[in-house]
C-alpha cells in the first residue's frame, strides 16, 4: 500500500532563526510533502495561541469580467466547510474561548488569521496576570488551539461555498464597498488604479460589489457558485500557502498537528504570480497632472514614480535610503524648506512593492492654501533635492547610521500580540528571504549598495512621474468621473516648458540652487547607553509606587521588572481646570498644543527616527505630555518639550496656517463615516461637560494669535503635576525628572478643590433617550445607530465582571444574527463600553436601512436572546466564563502596554491597578439576572 501524504515526515528548512536579544520563543520552519511551508512558534508563557495562513493569490488574480472575486472568496471561506458545515461554527468556537478572527485580501495575497485562549481552563484569579513562571501545555483533546486549527485547516481543504450563504456574503461585500464610497482614501486609491494601464492588474476594481459578482455574471449565464469554486481550485494550492502557528505546545507537538491537519491541502505546484516587464502606467500618463475633487476639504500634492522591484535587495534596502532622505523632516530637508515658505504642513515618501515585478515610489505633501497656489514650485523644490542626491555619491555614513538604528530596534524588539505576530510573519514568508532570516530580514540592513541606490534614484525623474493635486477649490472644473466611486477629476499634460524646467533642475542645471537644502546631520539621538539591570522576579508588580505626594506634585514610579528593555515611558498630566471650561478655552488649549508641535517638528524628527518620541495632548482636565522610547536621552527630550511649551513664540504666519487647518478638520468631521460620527456624539452626550464640533466652529473665527499669546501662560502659571515614570529608570531618576518638570515650568500650586473631576451623565432608571442628526453628505447612503444600554458605575467591580461576561456571550450572536443572517450592514458590532464613570453595553450598526428599523431589529434580537441565555447549557456557559477570565488575565506583551494600563488608572484617578484581575467566577443566575 502506498504511504499516505499525512504520514510522511515534513522537511525542516530552518531551526536556528536569527532573533532579538529579548526573544525567548523557539522557532522551526518546515515544509510538508505537499510543499506547504509552516513556521512553528513555541511560546511557553503565552496565554493566547494563534495561527495565520497567507495564500499567494489576491486581487491581481481577479478575472477582468468578475472584479472582486478574490475578496469575495475570502469572505466565503468563513461560511462553512465539509467537516464543519455550520456557517458560524468557526466564529462561535473562537468566541467561547475568548478568541476572534479576521482576514484581508491584498494585491497578491489573502491573509487569514485567528487568536484564541491557549488554555481551556482558567488562570487563577489570585495570581498575577503576568506571572513569570512558564505555564504547562495542554493535551490535544483539551486544547482550544487544536480545535480552532482543525476548523481553520478545512478552509483550505474542503470549503462548501453553499449557495445561500454565498449570496449573503456577496451582499456583505457589497455593503463593505458602499461603506467606502465616500471615503477619500478609497476613492483616491481606486482612481490611481483606474488610470493604470489596462494590461496591468493594478487597473482592476479590487473590492467588488453585488453587480460585478452577481448581477452581471448571472446576465452572462455564469453560475456564481461554480465560478467561485473554479477560482478557488485554480488559485489555492498548498505550494502557495505559508502557515504560522503559535502556541504553548512544544515544536514537535505543533509540527504533528500541522502534518495531521494540513497535509490534505491539495498541491497543484502552481508558479508564483509575477508581472515582470508590464508597466503599471502607460507612457501617456507619465508627465501628466491630475486634479481630484475630494469629499472632505483637504489639499494635497502626490508624485508617483514607477520604481524598480527591490524584493531581492532586502539586504541593502536602497529604497529605504532614498525615502529616508526625501521624507526627512529635519533641518535642510525638503519639508523644512517648503514649511518655512508656508506651503506645506507635512511630507511623506516611500517605495511600495505592488507585486513581484512592479513597484511605485510615492511622495505626498499636505499643502497649505499658499502651497496649493504654488504646487508647481513645491515640485521644483523636490527635484532640486533629488539633484542634490544625484550629484553626490550615496553616503555610507548615512547607511551605517540606519543600520545601527535598525540593529537596536531588532535587538530590543518586544513581543506583539499573537494574532499580529502570526498574520505578519505569514505574509513575510511570501518574500524571498532565507528561512533563518524570517524574523530579521524585514528590519536589518546588512550591506551598503551604492549602485542599487543610484538605480533607484534614476527612477525619480521628471520624465517618469505623474502629479496629482487634490483640492475642493482648484481648478474648479472636474469634467471626468471615475467609474467605481464616482470621483470627479481632470487630467492634463504638464506644460512642455515646465517639464523642460524640471529636467534642467533635476540635472543640476536649472537656475540657482537653494542653499537651505542639504543632507541631514548626524543623529544625536542614536541611543548609546543600552544597559539593563535584570533581576530575578518571582512575581512582577501590578502597581506603581507613589514616591512623591505633596501639595503640587504626585509622582508614581515603576521599575521595569518583566520586559527588560532599555526603554522608559514618562507620562505627565498638567492639571488645570481652565483648559476646557468653554469652547473658547478648549480651542485656545488646542492652538497651544498645535503650535508647540509645530515648533518642535524639526528638532524631534531625529529623536523619532532613533526610537524616542513625544506626544502632547489636551484632555478635559489639562495638558498631557508623554515621552516614550529608549531611556538614554529621554530626559533631554522632555526638557526640550517643556522649554518649548514655556517659551513658545506664537508666529502669525504659523498661527494662520494652523487656524485654517483646524477649521477644515472641524468641518470635515460631518463628512466622516457615520459610525465614527455616532461614536463621537455618544461620547459627547455622556460627558458632564463637552463641546460639539459646531460649538467649536462657531467660536473659532474670533480667535487671534494675540489671544493665544496672552492666554497660554495662564495654563502654565498654576497647575497640579501628576507624573508616571515607568521602565528602565530608577527611583532617583524619577525624582530628578520630577524636579526637572517643576523647575522648568515653576507653576503655582493648584488646590485639590479646583481639580476638574472626570464625570459622566448617569441616566435615571427607565430612561429612553434618542438623539438624532442628519448627515451633511447627501451622497452617503448609510445610516448609523449607536444603541447603548447604561448599566451602572464602573466602580462596581462585580457588575463590571457580569457586563463583560454578557458582552462576550453576545459578541458572536450579534454579528451572526444582525450582519450575517439579517444583512443589516457591514459595520455591525457589540461590546461593553465605559464613559468615564459609567458603563454600558453597546450595539452599533451602519446600514442602508433607517435607524428606526435598526432599533427594532436590535431590540427584537435582545428579546429573543433572553431565552437563549436562559437555556444555555452549563458547559457552554462555562467555556465563555473561562474565556473571559483568561482574556482579562491576559499577559501584557510589552512595556508600552503596561504604561498605558497604569496611566489609564492614574489619569482617571481610580488607582484600581488590579481591575483586570477582578473577573471572578460568577454564577450563571447572576449573569442572567443582569441581562
Amino acid at each position: 500500500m502506498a504511504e499516505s501524504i499525512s504520514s510522511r515526515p515534513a522537511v525542516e528548512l530552518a531551526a536556528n532563526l536569527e532573533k532579538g536579544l529579548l526573544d525567548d520563543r523557539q522557532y522551526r520552519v518546515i515544509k510538508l510533502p505537499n510543499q506547504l511551508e509552516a513556521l512553528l512558534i513555541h511560546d511557553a508563557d503565552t496565554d493566547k495561541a494563534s495561527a495565520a495562513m497567507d495564500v499567494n493569490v489576491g486581487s491581481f488574480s481577479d478575472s477582468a469580467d468578475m472584479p472582486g472575486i478574490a475578496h469575495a472568496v475570502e469572505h466565503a471561506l468563513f461560511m462553512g466547510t465539509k467537516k464543519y458545515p455550520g456557517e458560524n461554527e468557526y466564529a462561535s468556537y473562537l468566541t467561547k474561548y475568548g478568541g476572534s478572527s479576521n482576514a484581508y485580501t491584498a494585491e497578491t495575497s489573502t491573509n487569514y488569521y485567528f487568536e484564541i485562549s491557549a488554555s481551556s481552563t482558567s488562570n487563577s484569579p489570585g495570581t498575577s496576570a503576568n506571572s513569570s513562571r512558564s505555564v504547562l501545555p495542554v493535551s490535544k483533546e483539551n486544547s482550544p488551539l487544536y480545535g480552532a486549527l482543525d476548523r481553520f485547516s478545512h478552509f483550505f481543504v474542503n470549503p462548501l461555498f453553499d449557495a445561500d450563504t454565498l449570496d449573503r456574503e456577496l451582499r456583505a461585500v457589497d455593503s463593505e464597498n458602499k461603506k467606502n464610497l465616500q471615503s477619500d482614501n478609497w476613492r483616491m486609491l481606486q482612481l490611481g488604479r483606474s488610470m493604470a494601464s489596462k494590461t496591468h492588474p493594478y487597473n482592476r476594481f479590487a473590492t467588488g460589489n453585488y453587480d460585478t459578482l452577481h448581477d452581471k455574471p448571472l446576465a452572462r449565464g455564469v453560475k456564481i457558485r461554480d465560478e467561485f469554486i473554479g477560482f478557488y481550485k485554480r488559485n489555492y494550492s498548498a505550494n502557495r500557502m505559508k502557515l504560522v502557528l503559535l502556541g504553548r505546545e512544544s515544536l514537535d507537538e505543533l509540527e504533528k498537528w500541522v502534518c495531521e491537519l494540513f497535509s490534505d491541502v491539495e498541491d497543484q505546484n502552481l508558479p508564483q504570480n509575477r508581472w515582470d516587464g508590464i508597466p503599471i502606467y502607460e507612457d501617456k500618463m507619465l508627465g501628466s497632472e491630475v486634479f481630484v475633487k475630494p469629499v472632505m476639504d483637504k489639499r494635497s500634492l502626490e508624485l508617483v514614480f514607477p520604481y524598480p522591484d527591490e524584493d531581492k535587495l532586502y539586504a541593502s534596502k536602497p529604497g529605504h535610503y532614498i525615502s529616508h532622505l526625501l521624507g526627512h523632516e529635519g533641518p535642510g530637508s525638503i519639508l523644512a524648506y517648503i514649511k518655512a515658505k508656508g506651503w506645506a504642513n507635512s511630507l511623506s515618501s516611500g517605495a511600495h512593492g505592488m507585486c513581484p515585478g512592479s513597484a511605485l515610489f510615492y511622495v505626498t505633501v499636505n499643502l497649505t492654501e499658499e502651497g496649493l497656489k504654488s504646487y508647481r514650485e513645491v515640485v521644483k523644490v523636490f527635484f532640486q533635492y533629488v539633484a542634490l542626491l544625484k550629484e553626490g555619491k550615496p553616503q555610507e555614513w548615512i547607511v551605517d547610521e540606519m543600520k545601527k538604528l535598525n540593529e537596536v530596534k531588532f535587538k530590543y524588539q518586544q513581543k506583539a500580540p499573537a494574532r499580529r505576530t502570526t498574520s505578519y510573519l505569514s505574509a513575510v514568508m511570501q518574500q524571498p528571504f532565507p528561512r533563518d532570516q524570517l524574523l530579521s530580514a524585514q528590519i536589518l540592513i546588512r550591506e551598503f549598495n551604492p549602485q542599487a541606490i543610484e538605480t533607484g534614484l534614476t527612477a525619480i525623474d521628471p520624465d517618469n512621474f505623474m502629479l496629482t493635486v487634490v483640492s475642493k477649490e482648484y481648478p474648479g472644473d472636474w469634467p471626468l468621473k471615475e467609474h467605481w466611486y464616482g470621483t470627479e477629476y481632470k487630467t492634463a499634460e504638464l506644460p512642455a516648458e515646465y517639464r523642460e524646467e524640471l529636467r534642467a533642475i533635476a540635472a543640476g542645471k536649472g537656475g540657482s540652487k537653494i542653499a537651505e537644502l542639504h543632507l541631514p546631520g548626524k543623529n544625536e539621538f542614536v541611543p548609546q547607553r543600552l544597559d539593563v539591570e535584570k533581576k530575578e522576579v518571582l512575581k512582577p508588580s501590578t502597581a506603581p509606587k507613589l514616591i512623591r505626594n505633596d501639595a503640587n506634585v504626585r509622582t508614581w514610579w515603576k521599575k521595569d521588572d518583566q520586559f527588560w528593555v532599555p526603554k522608559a515611558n514618562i507620562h505627565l498630566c498638567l492639571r488645570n481646570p481652565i483648559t476646557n471650561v468653554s469652547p473658547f478655552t478648549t480651542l485656545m488649549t488646542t492652538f497651544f498644543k498645535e503650535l508647540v508641535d509645530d515648533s518642535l517638528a524639526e528638532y524631534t524628527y531625529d529623536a523619532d527616527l532613533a526610537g524616542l518620541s513625544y506626544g502632547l495632548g489636551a484632555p478635559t482636565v489639562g495638558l498631557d505630555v508623554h515621552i516614550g522610547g529608549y531611556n538614554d536621552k529621554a530626559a533631554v527630550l522632555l526638557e526640550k518639550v517643556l522649554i518649548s511649551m514655556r517659551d513658545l513664540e506664537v508666529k502669525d504666519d504659523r498661527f494662520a496656517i494652523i487656524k485654517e487647518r483646524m477649521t477644515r478638520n472641524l468641518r470635515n468631521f460631518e463628512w466622516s463615516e457615520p459610525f465614527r460620527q455616532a461614536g463621537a456624539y455618544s461620547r459627547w452626550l455622556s460627558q458632564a461637560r463637552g463641546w460639539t464640533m459646531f460649538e467649536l466652529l462657531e467660536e473659532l473665527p474670533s480667535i487671534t494669535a494675540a489671544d493665544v499669546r496672552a492666554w497660554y501662560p495662564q495654563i502654565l502659571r498654576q497647575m497640579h503635576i501628576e507624573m508616571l515614570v515607568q521602565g528602565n529608570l530608577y527611583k532617583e531618576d524619577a525624582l530628578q525628572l520630577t524636579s526637572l518638570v517643576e523647575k522648568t515650568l515653576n507653576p503655582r500650586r493648584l488646590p485639590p478643590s479646583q481639580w476638574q473631576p472626570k464625570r459622566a451623565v448617569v441616566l435615571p432608571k427607565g430612561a429612553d433617550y434618542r438623539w438624532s442628526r442628519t448627515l451633511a453628505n447627501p451622497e452617503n447612503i448609510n445610516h448609523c445607530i449607536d444603541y447603548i444600554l447604561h448599566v451602572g458605575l464602573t466602580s462596581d467591580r462585580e457588575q463590571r465582571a457580569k457586563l463583560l461576561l454578557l458582552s462576550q456571550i453576545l459578541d458572536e450572536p450579534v454579528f451572526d444574527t444582525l450582519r450575517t443572517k439579517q444583512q443589516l450592514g457591514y459595520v455591525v458590532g457589540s461590546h461593553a463600553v465605559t464613559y468615564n464613570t459609567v458603563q454600558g453595553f453597546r450595539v452599533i450598526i451602519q446600514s442602508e436601512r433607517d435607524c428606526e428599523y435598526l432599533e427594532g431589529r436590535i431590540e427584537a434580537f435582545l428579546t429573543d436572546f433572553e431565552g437563549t441565555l436562559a437555556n444555555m447549557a452549563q458547559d457552554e456557559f462555562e467555556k465563555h466564563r473561562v474565556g473571559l477570565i483568561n482574556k482579562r488575565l491576559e499577559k501584557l506583551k510589552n512595556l508600552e502596554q503596561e504604561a498605558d494600563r497604569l496611566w489609564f488608572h492614574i489619569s482617571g484617578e481610580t488607582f484600581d491597578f488590579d481591575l483586570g484581575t477582578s473577573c471572578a467566577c460568577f454564577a450563571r443566575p447572576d449573569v442572567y439576572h443582569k441581562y
Side-chain angles (χ1 to χ4, degrees):
M1 179 181 290
E3 182 184 27
S4 68
I5 290 179
S6 60
S7 66
R8 284 154 51 193
V11 176
E12 184 178 289
L13 301 181
N16 298 313
L17 274 66
E18 184 177 23
K19 62 182 185 178
L21 183 66
L22 306 174
D23 192 343
D24 60 0
R25 290 167 170 163
Q26 296 174 16
Y27 300 89
R28 180 185 298 166
V29 184
I30 61 172
K31 179 184 278 190
L32 303 189
N34 62 1
Q35 297 194 76
L36 185 149
E37 281 190 21
L39 168 61
L40 313 174
I41 307 175
H42 164 65
D43 187 341
D45 291 318
T46 189
D47 42 28
K48 285 288 189 181
S50 177
M53 179 76 88
D54 194 276
V55 187
N56 183 213
V57 59
S59 62
F60 279 12
S61 296
D62 288 350
S63 56
D65 58 357
M66 209 163 176
I69 189 171
H71 177 216
V73 166
E74 170 226 302
H75 276 246
L77 292 198
F78 286 81
M79 294 294 106
T81 62
K82 185 176 180 180
K83 183 174 181 180
Y84 299 101
E87 65 181 56
N88 68 330
E89 162 66 29
Y90 174 64
S92 179
Y93 180 88
L94 293 174
T95 302
K96 287 174 187 175
Y97 293 103
S100 60
S101 67
N102 212 334
Y104 65 84
T105 302
E107 286 86 355
T108 61
S109 70
T110 307
N111 193 283
Y112 304 84
Y113 54 92
F114 72 81
E115 184 178 75
I116 195 166
S117 176
S119 173
S120 60
T121 58
S122 67
N123 298 322
S124 170
T127 62
S128 166
N130 286 276
S131 173
S132 61
R133 65 179 176 85
S134 296
V135 289
L136 297 174
V138 295
S139 66
K140 182 170 82 171
E141 293 73 19
N142 296 318
S143 169
L145 173 60
Y146 180 84
L149 198 64
D150 186 21
R151 289 159 175 79
F152 184 63
S153 67
H154 284 271
F155 283 25
F156 313 102
V157 177
N158 48 22
L160 288 179
F161 293 105
D162 178 78
D164 290 338
T165 58
L166 181 58
D167 185 73
R168 279 192 265 116
E169 279 311 298
L170 293 183
R171 294 188 184 279
V173 169
D174 189 67
S175 180
E176 182 179 357
N177 178 61
K178 287 175 178 174
K179 173 184 76 73
N180 299 329
L181 288 178
Q182 294 300 304
S183 165
D184 281 321
N185 288 338
W186 282 96
R187 290 162 74 91
M188 285 294 298
L189 176 63
Q190 186 57 52
L191 180 60
R193 287 172 168 165
S194 295
M195 291 189 298
S197 169
K198 292 189 182 342
T199 62
H200 198 285
Y202 186 60
N203 174 259
R204 293 171 190 162
F205 173 44
T207 307
N209 59 32
Y210 201 72
D211 187 48
T212 68
L213 296 167
H214 183 271
D215 292 348
K216 285 183 177 176
L218 274 185
R220 297 194 304 269
V222 172
K223 294 181 179 179
I224 305 300
R225 181 173 181 270
D226 290 350
E227 190 66 25
F228 273 67
I229 293 173
F231 180 91
Y232 178 87
K233 288 184 174 179
R234 288 191 303 272
N235 293 283
Y236 276 59
S237 173
N239 74 301
R240 285 182 170 178
M241 298 182 184
K242 311 297 180 186
L243 174 70
V244 178
L245 180 59
L246 185 156
R248 290 179 182 174
E249 292 73 16
S250 69
L251 292 176
D252 289 342
E253 186 73 6
L254 294 176
E255 182 172 331
K256 286 178 185 177
W257 292 1
V258 170
C259 291
E260 174 190 345
L261 298 175
F262 289 89
S263 289
D264 289 335
V265 178
E266 184 180 358
D267 176 30
Q268 303 181 62
N269 198 29
L270 298 176
Q272 182 195 39
N273 288 313
R274 295 195 64 87
W275 290 268
D276 297 293
I278 306 174
I280 296 180
Y281 289 105
E282 296 176 357
D283 289 344
K284 66 180 181 181
M285 288 306 300
L286 302 178
S288 66
E289 54 184 352
V290 182
F291 302 96
V292 184
K293 183 181 181 182
V295 173
M296 291 191 178
D297 188 3
K298 55 174 63 178
R299 291 183 296 267
S300 66
L301 167 69
E302 184 176 80
L303 311 180
V304 181
F305 300 83
Y307 190 79
D309 175 12
E310 295 181 340
D311 276 357
K312 295 180 180 179
L313 299 175
Y314 56 85
S316 57
K317 299 178 176 58
H320 287 210
Y321 175 93
I322 297 170
S323 62
H324 168 69
L325 295 176
L326 294 180
H328 209 280
E329 298 179 16
S333 65
I334 299 170
L335 179 61
Y337 181 79
I338 59 178
K339 190 174 175 182
K341 298 286 284 186
W343 293 341
N345 289 310
S346 65
L347 181 151
S348 62
S349 71
H352 298 271
M354 309 308 296
C355 60
S358 303
L360 295 172
F361 194 99
Y362 290 92
V363 179
T364 303
V365 183
N366 287 321
L367 299 171
T368 64
E369 287 183 295
E370 287 302 312
L372 179 62
K373 297 173 187 175
S374 307
Y375 75 90
R376 286 184 178 170
E377 293 300 312
V378 173
V379 178
K380 290 181 185 178
V381 174
F382 171 80
F383 278 112
Q384 279 251 15
Y385 200 91
V386 171
L388 185 152
L389 297 183
K390 290 181 177 180
E391 286 170 5
K393 295 292 183 182
Q395 300 295 300
E396 189 168 7
W397 73 265
I398 294 178
V399 174
D400 286 342
E401 187 175 271
M402 294 170 66
K403 271 186 188 179
K404 180 171 182 178
L405 290 174
N406 287 14
E407 285 168 2
V408 171
K409 177 182 178 181
F410 179 70
K411 186 176 181 180
Y412 295 104
Q413 196 171 35
Q414 299 175 80
K415 285 183 181 178
R419 62 189 287 179
R420 195 188 309 167
T421 298
T422 58
S423 177
Y424 165 74
L425 287 175
S426 64
V428 167
M429 290 178 73
Q430 298 289 4
Q431 300 297 316
F433 302 152
R435 300 295 91 172
D436 62 350
Q437 294 180 22
L438 288 176
L439 307 177
S440 58
Q442 286 277 79
I443 301 173
L444 296 180
I445 299 174
R446 302 175 190 275
E447 58 188 45
F448 173 54
N449 188 340
Q451 293 78 22
I453 293 172
E454 289 171 349
T455 300
L457 281 171
T458 302
I460 313 301
D461 188 86
D463 288 318
N464 187 51
F465 84 111
M466 185 170 67
L467 180 157
T468 301
V469 175
V470 179
S471 169
K472 293 191 84 163
E473 304 139 15
Y474 183 82
D477 63 318
W478 302 269
L480 303 175
K481 269 197 174 184
E482 193 276 324
H483 176 72
W484 300 108
Y485 286 77
T487 305
E488 297 176 62
Y489 71 103
K490 175 181 181 178
T491 62
E493 285 189 28
L494 283 169
E497 62 274 14
Y498 181 67
R499 293 188 70 179
E500 282 298 326
E501 190 176 2
L502 293 181
R503 290 188 188 105
I505 290 171
K509 302 174 183 176
S512 58
K513 295 182 180 179
I514 301 173
E516 292 90 338
L517 296 179
H518 56 80
L519 293 177
K522 293 190 183 298
N523 191 335
E524 299 301 325
F525 281 95
V526 175
Q528 305 298 325
R529 293 186 301 111
L530 295 167
D531 50 304
V532 176
E533 184 185 4
K534 186 174 181 178
K535 297 180 178 179
E536 285 297 321
V537 177
L538 182 63
K539 180 179 173 182
S541 172
T542 59
K545 293 180 180 178
L546 185 59
I547 59 173
R548 180 173 167 185
N549 187 13
D550 53 38
N552 212 33
V553 176
R554 196 158 57 193
T555 299
W556 304 81
W557 165 73
K558 184 177 185 297
K559 178 73 171 68
D560 177 24
D561 56 3
Q562 56 187 315
F563 302 110
W564 313 115
V565 288
K567 294 185 177 183
N569 288 283
I570 304 166
H571 281 280
L572 269 177
C573 176
L574 308 178
R575 193 174 278 112
N576 188 315
I578 71 172
T579 58
N580 191 47
V581 295
S582 69
F584 174 79
T585 63
T586 300
L587 286 168
M588 295 289 273
T589 305
T590 305
F591 267 116
F592 177 58
K593 171 207 172 310
E594 293 291 332
L595 286 162
V596 171
D597 284 342
D598 191 68
S599 70
L600 281 167
E602 286 188 32
Y603 177 83
T604 58
Y605 185 74
D606 272 350
D608 194 57
L609 288 177
L612 181 63
S613 62
Y614 92 100
L616 181 59
T620 58
V621 297
L623 288 167
D624 272 1
V625 180
H626 172 239
I627 306 291
Y630 297 106
N631 58 275
D632 181 24
K633 296 180 173 67
V636 175
L637 182 57
L638 175 62
E639 183 175 25
K640 177 65 175 182
V641 171
L642 294 173
I643 290 172
S644 298
M645 293 169 64
R646 184 193 67 192
D647 301 337
L648 176 67
E649 180 186 356
V650 180
K651 299 177 181 178
D652 289 340
D653 57 340
R654 296 310 301 172
F655 171 84
I657 288 170
I658 289 170
K659 182 176 181 179
E660 189 275 334
R661 187 175 70 207
M662 284 172 56
T663 302
R664 279 190 294 118
N665 289 341
L666 288 171
R667 287 176 178 160
N668 282 337
F669 170 77
E670 275 209 291
W671 295 77
S672 62
E673 293 167 296
F675 75 92
R676 300 190 191 280
Q677 294 187 49
Y681 288 132
S682 294
R683 289 189 294 273
W684 166 66
L685 289 166
S686 73
Q687 293 174 348
R689 177 191 292 164
W691 317 110
T692 65
M693 305 297 175
F694 322 111
E695 291 170 305
L696 297 174
L697 270 171
E698 185 178 355
E699 190 69 44
L700 185 56
S702 66
I703 296 177
T704 65
D707 291 332
V708 178
R709 288 190 197 100
W711 188 82
Y712 88 78
Q714 298 179 49
I715 306 177
L716 305 179
R717 179 172 176 268
Q718 185 178 24
M719 67 178 71
H720 176 263
I721 299 169
E722 185 100 56
M723 191 167 181
L724 168 67
V725 180
Q726 172 255 11
N728 191 39
L729 292 170
Y730 292 92
K731 179 179 178 180
E732 295 75 18
D733 299 321
L735 293 172
Q736 287 175 9
L737 289 167
T738 306
S739 297
L740 171 66
V741 176
E742 273 192 300
K743 290 176 182 176
T744 304
L745 298 180
N746 193 27
R748 289 182 56 234
R749 171 179 175 268
L750 182 74
S753 60
Q754 296 180 34
W755 297 7
Q756 179 67 37
K758 287 190 175 182
R759 299 194 298 169
V761 175
V762 178
L763 300 182
K765 288 185 177 180
D768 184 8
Y769 294 115
R770 290 170 178 80
W771 190 88
S772 62
R773 185 169 181 85
T774 302
L775 289 172
N777 184 357
E779 300 298 319
N780 198 319
I781 62 174
N782 294 296
H783 306 263
C784 184
I785 182 171
D786 198 2
Y787 184 98
I788 300 171
L789 298 170
H790 284 229
V791 298
L793 301 178
T794 56
S795 56
D796 187 335
R797 281 187 172 191
E798 182 173 330
Q799 189 178 64
R800 174 126 185 96
K802 293 175 183 177
L803 174 64
L804 290 170
L805 181 52
L806 180 62
S807 176
Q808 159 135 338
I809 294 171
L810 284 168
D811 180 67
E812 192 278 331
V814 166
F815 188 85
D816 181 57
T817 302
L818 302 181
R819 182 186 183 274
T820 304
K821 290 187 171 69
Q822 298 185 16
Q823 289 290 301
L824 296 182
Y826 182 75
V827 178
V828 176
S830 67
H831 55 269
V833 292
T834 59
Y835 297 112
N836 286 338
T837 56
V838 300
Q839 59 187 345
F841 178 75
R842 174 197 199 200
V843 179
I844 188 162
I845 304 175
Q846 181 173 292
S847 172
E848 292 179 66
R849 302 291 192 100
D850 65 70
C851 292
E852 185 176 351
Y853 178 82
L854 298 176
E855 183 179 7
R857 291 292 81 213
I858 292 170
E859 293 187 341
F861 166 80
L862 293 174
T863 301
D864 290 344
F865 196 79
E866 185 175 1
T868 304
L869 185 59
N871 297 316
M872 182 176 288
Q874 184 64 39
D875 64 334
E876 183 178 358
F877 177 86
E878 183 66 14
K879 289 175 182 176
H880 280 295
R881 189 182 63 79
V882 170
L884 175 64
I885 290 173
N886 289 345
K887 186 185 293 185
R888 297 298 294 174
L889 297 179
E890 185 176 342
K891 297 174 183 176
L892 299 168
K893 302 297 185 294
N894 51 59
L895 194 73
E896 291 69 35
Q897 281 190 357
E898 182 186 61
D900 289 343
R901 180 178 69 83
L902 297 178
W903 188 242
F904 172 80
H905 294 295
I906 292 170
S907 62
E909 293 190 88
T910 59
F911 312 115
D912 192 359
F913 301 110
D914 293 320
L915 178 64
T917 64
S918 65
C919 187
C921 307
F922 291 102
R924 174 177 158 190
D926 287 341
V927 177
Y928 176 71
H929 176 71
K930 177 54 60 184
Y931 181 87

